[in-house]
Amino acid sequence: MKQTAGIFVDHRSIESQCINAFNSKNFGVNVFSDPTALFKSIVEAQLDVLVVDSGIESEDVRMIERYRIISPKLFIIILGENSGALHEYIEAGSNVVTDLQNIVKVINELQLEKSVKQLIAEEISDTWRLSPADYHLYSPSAKKIKLTVREYKFLTLLFETNKVVTKEEIKRQIIGGEYFTADQRIALLVARLRKKVHIETGLSIPIKSDYTNGYVFAGPSCIRK
């Protein structure tokens, strides 16, 4: 997932330089021409970085304080020439104060922590997710698979450990009763689940069988709403 930079400056040439610098770092870029649109974007948490010109009347110290309160993780770069007065912007919560000559260098050296949203997106990009909210399985491609109660309980057992879940444990918690055909019932449960997932997603669910002991989920997995 791309990080996004916002640019609100009063110099067309500097705007172009900032756009090129952010593009070279694979950022998405939003250019703002009025403070209302910028404020809305910050409220909606659309930005990871903001370059703002202190020479624009609306972008005073108090406004930067508002941005910081609304978006604590926003990386704010203040652009200005009067370094003596710009220390107030640092006190207001901006991360960097720089001038026209050094703005591109600041962007090129920018190192941001990944946002929670990005970390979650990366985590689930190859992860099978079991949701206790709706009792569905979600594939890495975010396709939803409706589960039976028994299938959900079975996957919960597998997801809660990275070790082999024994057939005895599966019999006790999932199958129940004193079935002489419990092994066959487990095998049928797994076969039906594999078929269902493949039909719904085109993927093979990574349930591996240890023929003498039980089953293990061999791919990245999580249980989360």
Side-chain angles (χ1 to χ4, degrees):
M1 180 184 294
K2 277 189 176 183
Q3 292 177 307
T4 302
I7 301 172
F8 188 25
V9 300
D10 199 24
H11 304 266
R12 184 59 59 86
S13 63
I14 295 300
E15 180 182 291
S16 297
Q17 291 179 48
C18 290
I19 291 171
N20 292 336
F22 279 119
N23 284 339
S24 71
K25 293 177 71 70
N26 200 33
F27 275 71
V29 179
N30 291 336
V31 176
F32 299 95
S33 57
D34 68 86
T36 302
L38 171 59
F39 191 83
K40 182 175 183 290
S41 187
I42 292 173
V43 169
E44 295 176 353
Q46 296 177 3
L47 303 178
D48 299 289
V49 185
L50 173 63
V51 176
V52 63
D53 191 340
S54 63
I56 298 174
E57 185 176 354
S58 64
E59 306 309 296
D60 58 14
V61 171
R62 290 183 180 180
M63 186 58 71
I64 299 305
E65 288 176 338
R66 293 191 187 100
Y67 294 161
R68 176 56 68 224
I69 292 170
I70 294 167
S71 184
K73 291 187 177 297
L74 178 65
F75 194 98
I76 302 173
I77 301 171
I78 300 296
L79 184 63
E81 293 296 330
N82 187 348
S83 59
L86 291 177
H87 73 277
E88 294 180 1
Y89 282 90
I90 294 292
E91 293 175 358
S94 61
N95 299 86
V96 176
V97 172
T98 189
D99 55 23
L100 300 178
Q101 290 72 38
N102 290 296
I103 181 62
V104 172
K105 179 182 177 183
V106 168
I107 294 172
N108 288 337
E109 294 176 350
L110 189 63
Q111 295 291 334
L112 297 183
E113 292 183 6
K114 292 177 180 177
S115 67
V116 172
K117 182 170 61 177
Q118 286 178 299
L119 291 171
I120 291 174
E122 290 178 4
E123 177 187 342
I124 67 175
S125 62
D126 61 351
T127 299
W128 295 83
R129 177 170 64 91
L130 194 60
S131 172
D134 58 9
Y135 296 97
H136 280 68
L137 174 67
Y138 290 79
S139 73
S141 56
K143 291 188 177 179
K144 183 166 66 172
I145 303 104
K146 185 177 181 180
L147 302 173
T148 65
V149 173
R150 184 168 285 180
E151 289 168 345
Y152 179 82
K153 289 182 177 179
F154 173 66
L155 286 176
T156 299
L157 270 181
L158 298 188
F159 278 33
E160 288 179 340
T161 179
N162 57 3
K163 299 178 182 179
V164 173
V165 179
T166 66
K167 290 181 181 179
E168 289 302 318
E169 185 70 10
I170 297 170
K171 291 175 189 177
R172 185 174 66 82
Q173 295 204 40
I174 310 299
I175 304 300
E178 295 295 333
Y179 293 113
F180 292 108
T181 59
D183 284 3
Q184 290 87 339
R185 287 173 179 264
I186 295 170
L188 183 60
L189 171 66
V190 174
R192 286 176 173 170
L193 183 56
R194 283 175 173 153
K195 182 178 180 181
K196 177 190 292 188
V197 170
H198 189 266
I199 290 173
E200 294 289 335
T201 69
L203 301 174
S204 297
I205 188 169
I207 298 174
K208 303 299 181 183
S209 173
D210 181 325
Y211 292 104
T212 58
N213 294 315
Y215 293 86
V216 64
F217 198 87
S221 64
C222 67
I223 299 176
R224 186 174 59 236
K225 294 181 181 180

